[in-house]
Every structure is written in structure tokens, then in C-alpha cells.
Amino acid sequence: MTDRMHELDPATFRSVLGRFPSGVTIVTTRSESGTLHGFTASSFASLSLDPPLILVCLDRRANCFPVFQAAERFVVNIATPAHADLAIKFATKGENKFAEGNFEFDEEGHPLLPDAAAVIRCELEQVVPGGDHVILIGRVHDARAGSDEPVMWYRGDFLHLGESAA
Ligand SMILES: Cc1cc2nc3c(=O)[nH]c(=O)nc-3n(C[C@H](O)[C@H](O)[C@H](O)COP(=O)(O)O)c2cc1C
């Protein structure tokens, strides 16, 4: 088994991981100096109910990595089908990510999407190394569900609930 793992080619690995359907989140924060940062993440997961913890994995090569690693708080916005273009924007380096989207700001100035399927506001509890990514563990202090359904991500594309994959 170990020998075979050494033969794993990255394209196959990515393709296999794409067989696991997930939701899509737009994760946002505000730096100490007041600049806004965010990235699209499908690696969101619930971690603990008591205490209430969630996790998101962030690539160390992301431009926003230093900001999130040092952040006090961050927001996980669970995207709906209406956020598909915005999610692509937040996955594209160098874009002026906050120019569009119906962002509002919480009392500490962190951006959130009030029309998201859910908005989860967290304190950064821990940053755990995980290869070329880190695991951002957030302690949830506020979580609100919206009325719209989430959009799914499967095999490198968006999928709407109720729609069957090609
Ligand atoms: C649907 C989707 C899911 C993604 N999930 C993740 C993820 O979980 N973690 C991650 O680090 N990057 C993920 N990415 C890539 C980042 O969104 C992208 O690299 C982003 O531009 C990084 O932020 P930066 O612009 O600050 O470098 C995903 C991209 C897409 C389109």
C-alpha cells in the first residue's frame, strides 16, 4: 500500500478528490489595518458541537494566507447558486474581490453575505499544519441560516441541488 501511495500522480489524486461532492463557501476577514480578504473554499466542515467548532483548509500559497493565519475572526458564507460568479471571483488571484456581491459588515467590520445559505462567524481558535495547507479552526460565536439552498461543487463544477451530475 505504501509503495503504491508513492506512485500516486497529482492529477489522479485531484480527480479522485473531485468525486466527493461538497458545498461552496466564501470565507472572508478583515486585516488589522482594515483591508478585506477572502477566498473560496470547498474544504469547510463541521468539527465539534460543544464547543462549537468548524474548520476550513487554506493553501499556504494563497495571497490571503498570512492575513487569515493572523486573523482574530473570520466569516464562512455558504454560497447559493446566485453566488457562483462571486465564488469564481474569490477563487481568482488578483481580483478586486469585494467590488461586487451584496456584502454587509458586522460590528467589527468583517464582510458577510446576508443572502448566503448560511453565515457562520468565528474566532480563529487554532491553525493546524496540514501539508501544503493549514487547517483554520474557528470557534463559532454566531451562526444564521438563510432561506436559499446552497450550491454544490462536484467534479470541478457547480451543481444545483436536485440536478443530476452529467
Ligand atoms: C470551488 C472551489 C473551491 C476551493 N476550495 C479551496 C479550499 O478549500 N482551500 C483553498 O485554499 N483554496 C480553495 N480554492 C482555491 C482558492 O479559492 C483560490 O486559490 C484563491 O484565489 C486563494 O486566495 P488568494 O486569491 O488570496 O490567493 C477553491 C477554489 C474553488 C473554485
Side-chain angles (χ1 to χ4, degrees), residues 64-80:
C64 61
F65 169 73
V67 173
F68 273 94
Q69 192 180 225
E72 275 183 25
R73 296 192 171 207
F74 63 96
V75 182
V76 177
N77 300 277
I78 299 182
T80 72

Side-chain angles (χ1 to χ4, degrees), residues 16-131:
V16 167
L17 294 180
R19 259 62 174 183
F20 184 68
S22 67
V24 177
T25 66
I26 296 174
V27 186
T28 57
T29 194
R30 181 189 190 92
S31 74
E32 242 176 60
S33 64
T35 51
L36 306 179
H37 300 267
F39 66 104
T40 296
S42 56
S43 59
F44 167 80
S46 56
L47 175 61
S48 162
L49 288 175
D50 186 12
L53 301 175
I54 56 88
L55 66 83
V56 185
C57 304
L58 174 59
D59 194 324
R60 291 175 182 276
R61 293 161 297 188
N63 294 341
C64 61
F65 169 73
V67 173
F68 273 94
Q69 192 180 225
E72 275 183 25
R73 296 192 171 207
F74 63 96
V75 182
V76 177
N77 300 277
I78 299 182
T80 72
H83 295 122
D85 288 347
L86 194 64
I88 293 300
K89 191 165 207 181
F90 271 75
T92 307
K93 286 183 186 297
E95 287 275 337
N96 182 5
K97 296 182 178 184
F98 292 89
E100 285 155 36
N102 303 320
F103 285 101
E104 287 182 4
F105 297 89
D106 67 12
E107 60 277 6
E108 274 138 5
H110 295 285
L112 55 87
L113 289 165
D115 55 349
V119 176
I120 302 167
R121 294 165 59 209
C122 313
E123 277 166 35
L124 182 61
E125 170 100 355
Q126 214 180 331
V127 181
V128 180

Side-chain angles (χ1 to χ4, degrees), residues 134-155:
V134 293
I135 305 166
L136 303 174
I137 297 180
R139 182 183 280 252
V140 179
H141 62 87
D142 184 52
R144 288 175 203 184
S147 51
D148 289 351
E149 288 189 335
V151 70
M152 307 292 293
W153 184 254
Y154 177 61
R155 294 181 71 174

